[in-house]
Structure formats: C-alpha cells, structure tokens
C-alpha cells in the first residue's frame, strides 16, 4: 500500500483532470483505465479484484496539518487494499468532488485490460448457468442485470453484439460491486453461439412473442419440468425496446416467457432478468433440497 | 367527448400554469387533482378508469388553420376517451411541453378523490393476494412495485405508514399504467394489521435478517411447501434503506427472505418485490396446472 506523502489539493491539476476524464469513453480508450466510484463499488473491487485496481483516491478531513482519512468506512477500504500494490492518494474534498460527483469520498482507477475477460480465462464448471444480454443499451439496465445474475449465482454474464460499454461509470455504479464478483464477457453474435455450443450449453431465449410456429413456453411450465432448471445453459435476453430478432430466436433451443397475471402489459428488462434468473436458481435449489 | 373548439396556444395562461402546477404536492393538495403524463399512462387511465379522468390535453400539428391531433397514437387515445365525460383540449406543442417535459404529446388531469381507494371499495375475492410496502420513499420504487404487483396478479397494493405520495408524477410514470389496473390503498400501521386480520389474511414479511429467535425462512422452502403460495395473504416489504422494524416483524406470521446464490450482498426493493411476488404467483399457477 504505497501512500503518496503529498496530499492532492489542486482540482485543476493534470492528474485530477485525467482521472475525471475516465467518465468519458474517449478518456477510457486513450488510457486503458476506468473509474470505480463510491465506497461500495471500491470496497468490492479491492476485496475481490485487487489485481484490477491501480490507484485509490480518498478524501482526507479538512485539518491538513494532521491529515486523516475522512471516515472509518473509507479507512477500512484503504486497509483492505494494503496487501495489493495499489497506490493510495489522499485528496481534499474539492479534488474528490472534481473527479466524480458520485465519489462519496473515494474513487479507484482500474486497469481495463485486467477486468475484460476472454473466453479462455473463464472456468464455467460442470453445469454452467450463464446470463446473456443482446444489444442492451441502457447503462443502468446493464448494471442491474449483472447484479441480478450475480444474486442468482450465474457463472458468467455475456454482453452480446452492440451493447453499452461495461466500463461506463453508470454501469459500474448500478452493479453495486457485482462487476467484480463474476466474469463479464463481451462477444459478437456468431462468437456467442459458437462458444455456447463448444461449452455444451443450451441457449434459452427470454421472449414474450416467439416466432411463427414456435409459441414461447411459459416460465412456470419450465420450472415444473424436473431437471430443466439445472441443465447447462445460457439464458439470452434481448434489447430493452426491440427484444430479440427472429433470426436469433430461431437459433435458441427454448423460448421462455414470463407470464403476466394481472393487467400489466410487460415487465422491463431488469425486472424480467431478475425474475427469470432467480426463479431458475431457486428451482435448482429446491430440486437439490 | 366534449372538445374545446379553441386551441390552447398560450403557454403563459392561467389554465396552463395551474395544470403544470399539479407536478408539485402543493398544487395537487390545493386542487384535488393530479397529472397523468405520456401516451402509455393516459391510454391506461382512459381505458380502465375513465371515471378518474377529467381533462385531456393533446398536441395538435402545427398547421393551425387545419388543426389535427399530432399523431395517430394520440388520436386513438382521444377516441378511447369519447364514451366518458372527459374534456379534450387541443394544444400547441409549446403548451404541452410547458405542462410537462414528459408529456410526449398528451397529458390528462385526474380527480384525486376518485383514484384514492378506501377499504370499503375493495373486493378482494376468495383467496386474496396483496402486496404492501411500509415507508417506501422513492417515487421510482413506488411506481415499479405497483407494476410488479400488477404483473403478479395481486388483488391490491397497500402503502403503509409514511410513504411517498402515490399521485407524485414520477410514481405514476413508473407504474406504466398499473396505477389504473388495481386498487392502491394507503393506511397507517395499526389500520393495516387490523384490516389484514379482518380479511383473514396472513401477513408475510419480506426480510433478510429476521429477529432474535426467528430466522427468516428461505423463499425456495416456502415455494416447496404445498399450498403455501395460494393462502390468503399480504406480503409486506420494508423501507429501501432500513427494511422493516423488529416491532413490525414480530407481528408477521412468516418472515421470508430471498436467497442470494452468488456474491451479491442484496437486491434492491423493486427487484426483491418482483422476484418474490412473481415467484409466489407462478407457484400458485403451477399448483393449479
């Protein structure tokens, strides 16, 4: 835990500007780094993936003659990071707020290459359960579905085709740390179907419409089908507005829809993903009880 | 469908100012009215609860010599409203945008008294399934949980104790029309327990911690318990940050927690409500399949 002796107090310095610039895609591309904002996300990053974290910027209390880290919560996070080679920079509140309005006293800078998983790095185990999202565009949704997949015990998340950048700060904030809990892969559509086939996983589409000649199965029937929930599989969800294309649905082994029992016409993507992934996870658990 | 012959074109008129003012709690209290914004919410309101809607404000295309409603979507909504006594006011785009930045061409003004349900008005049927929320404060959450309860086929939603105003425009937008699909009641904590007892409903608390001597039961065990999902009951969810107070938990017949299978530490309120209510609904459905 090398701690920079000097306290950063100039919100207009080059370093501060460069860190703040990681909120933008351009800044991340240029530097190969990304921003992790707020105590909860930073804590999960230094706990589960200290190899990803390069720098911590943490607020010190105003008495600069005896600078102390601003709170015990922040102090604990800095302590957690001490076994790894993470550079700790103490900053004034003004500097932290210039870096990010969502910092709440702490931000980390991560190495983008270290958090981007390739398929070779992912060990899925015996009966893999994967959640995949095709063309998800909204950063809040993307983060929330990573969190739901984590809660459901999925072995990996895949963003397929043209999705939002998983290192967008809004995505990371919405994962509430889950980005650092499980592998998140990005791949094209063809690569996705090749990979799931090579891993002997079925692909189930989450979709309410189906295609001509193939009505979706209702999720409760699937849950009532013994062994179905436990089979090695990827559940694939579509774009927020357009769902999944017929050409993609036709390549999926099952098409499964969430029933609506009242008058609501739909559930949004994040809610659908949570309901389907958690139901399947609980069903697997009931079968092994 | 009385249509005002005159086209409202003055964004600074008293009428326009008064309608825009319904976005604020003060404006709603003063007038006893509330705002319904955007095609989806307005369509659901005029379809399911035309008795609640007093006025429609709809955008006309710019050629004011031959004013036409701005799109076929909006025209259909106006047509749907024609059997009820709803006053239709055609407006310029400028006026509509002054009323609400979320109008997308149409807003309705509703009668607050007509949408506020009292317990005498609610017919719960034989085996009622109710979703209740104690001290929910975030408007987006409040709307999303009404939508989830609707999707799960709940017979009513109850906001218990000091919750956000269900007529806050953000709540209504987040329900995506569900506010007009099922009864939404508000009551104090004592009234809530008296009402559920009078209706012979169990109260189940959704809670991860439990109280001394009472660990929560895990949702999958409850789902595996034959008949449990179908029993007459209210599922009660707590505040976003603080959950439910021990004093309230002690009064609930069951305490049920959603298991987390990965490394995620929690699910947010809206996700928890969707997962629990939908799982119970699907379980009831499987048992009757």
């Amino acid at each position: 835990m090398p701690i920079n002796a000097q306290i950063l107090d100039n919100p207009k310095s080059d370093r501060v500007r460069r860190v703040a610039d990681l909120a933008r895609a351009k800044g991340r591309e240029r530097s190969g780094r990304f921003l992790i904002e707020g105590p909860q996300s930073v804590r999960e990053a230094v706990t589960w993936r200290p190899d990803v974290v390069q720098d911590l910027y943490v607020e010190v209390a105003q008495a600069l003659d005896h600078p102390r880290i601003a709170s015990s919560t922040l102090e604990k996070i800095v302590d957690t990071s001490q076994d790894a080679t993470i550079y700790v920079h103490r900053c004034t509140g003004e500097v932290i707020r210039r870096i990010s309005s969502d910092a709440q006293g702490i931000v980390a800078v991560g190495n983008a290459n270290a958090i981007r998983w390739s398929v070779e790095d992912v060990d899925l185990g015996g009966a893999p359960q994967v959640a995949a999202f095709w063309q998800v565009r909204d950063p809040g949704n993307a983060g929330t579905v990573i969190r739901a997949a984590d809660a459901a015990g999925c072995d990996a998340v895949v963003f397929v085709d043209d999705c939002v950048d998983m290192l967008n700060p809004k995505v990371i904030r919405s994962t509430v740390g889950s980005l650092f809990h499980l592998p998140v892969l990005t791949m094209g559509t063809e690569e996705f179907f090749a990979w799931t086939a090579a891993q002997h996983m079925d692909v189930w589409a989450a979709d309410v419409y189906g295609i001509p000649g193939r009505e979706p199965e209702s999720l409760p029937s699937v849950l009532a089908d013994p062994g179905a929930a436990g089979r090695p599989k990827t559940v694939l969800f579509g774009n927020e507005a357009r769902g999944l294309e017929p050409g993609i649905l036709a390549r999926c082994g099952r098409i499964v829809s969430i029933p609506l029992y009242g008058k609501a016409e739909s559930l949004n993507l994040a809610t659908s993903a949570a309901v389907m992934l958690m139901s399947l996870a609980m069903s697997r658990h009931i079968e092994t009880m």
Side-chain angles (χ1 to χ4, degrees), chain A:
Chain A
M1 183 180 63
I3 294 197
N4 191 337
Q6 202 195 327
I7 289 174
L8 303 182
D9 60 359
N10 179 6
K12 293 183 174 163
S13 72
D14 271 4
R15 172 183 280 271
V16 171
R17 193 183 42 71
R18 277 200 308 273
V19 175
D21 204 40
L22 299 177
R24 304 188 314 133
K26 275 250 173 74
R28 294 194 293 279
E29 273 165 36
R30 196 158 36 210
S31 65
R33 291 168 186 188
F34 70 102
L35 208 54
I36 307 161
E37 305 160 299
Q40 198 160 13
S41 291
V42 174
R43 189 191 63 217
E44 296 304 297
V46 299
T47 304
W48 296 101
R49 294 299 307 276
D51 59 303
V52 164
V53 182
Q54 299 183 324
D55 296 271
L56 279 190
Y57 294 85
V58 61
E59 183 173 345
V60 290
Q62 290 301 349
L64 289 183
D65 43 336
H66 291 293
R68 287 187 307 113
I69 288 172
S71 75
S72 61
T73 304
L74 301 181
E75 224 169 68
K76 262 189 222 158
I77 296 169
V78 172
D79 286 350
T80 305
S81 76
Q82 70 183 345
D83 293 335
T85 311
I86 296 171
Y87 289 85
V88 178
H89 310 271
R90 294 169 303 166
C91 314
T92 60
E94 201 187 356
V95 163
I96 284 286
R97 286 186 292 275
R98 169 67 185 86
I99 291 176
S100 161
S101 57
D102 292 291
Q104 297 170 67
I106 195 161
V107 298
V109 170
N111 175 350
N113 281 334
I115 193 74
R116 292 197 194 277
W117 292 75
S118 66
V119 290
E120 297 80 28
D121 301 330
V122 179
D123 178 11
L124 292 175
Q129 304 296 330
V130 173
F133 301 89
W134 181 79
Q135 293 193 355
V136 57
R137 293 283 161 74
D138 177 77
N141 280 342
T144 307
V145 297
I146 292 174
R147 186 182 181 189
D150 181 14
C154 288
D155 298 291
V157 167
V158 186
F159 285 159
V160 183
D161 202 5
D162 190 16
C163 291
V164 61
D165 178 11
M166 68 182 226
L167 300 183
N168 177 315
K170 276 191 206 155
V171 175
I172 297 177
R173 279 203 305 277
S174 307
T175 71
V176 198
S178 289
L179 181 66
F180 308 106
H181 295 165
L182 78 172
V184 180
L185 295 147
T186 58
M187 54 181 86
T189 303
E190 290 311 315
E191 194 190 348
F192 168 73
F193 281 104
W195 177 70
T196 48
Q199 300 287 330
H200 308 290
M201 286 189 280
D202 279 354
V203 179
W204 293 8
D207 183 81
V208 291
Y209 301 111
I211 44 177
R214 277 182 75 193
E215 287 272 307
E217 302 171 77
S218 184
L219 179 56
S221 336
V222 174
L223 295 173
D225 174 5
R231 259 169 239 156
K233 70 177 158 308
T234 293
V235 184
L236 177 64
F237 298 83
N239 171 270
E240 291 93 336
R242 292 171 290 111
L244 289 164
E245 281 176 358
I248 289 181
L249 289 173
R251 297 169 74 172
C252 294
R254 297 179 96 147
I255 303 177
V256 183
S257 72
I258 298 173
L260 297 170
Y261 296 110
K263 299 194 186 92
E265 286 177 13
S266 63
L267 293 172
N268 68 25
L269 171 64
T271 303
S272 303
V275 169
M276 191 164 300
L277 297 172
M278 287 298 298
S279 301
L280 290 166
M282 290 191 287
S283 194
R284 285 196 296 278
H285 192 76
I286 291 172
E287 292 194 348
T288 59
M289 265 190 333

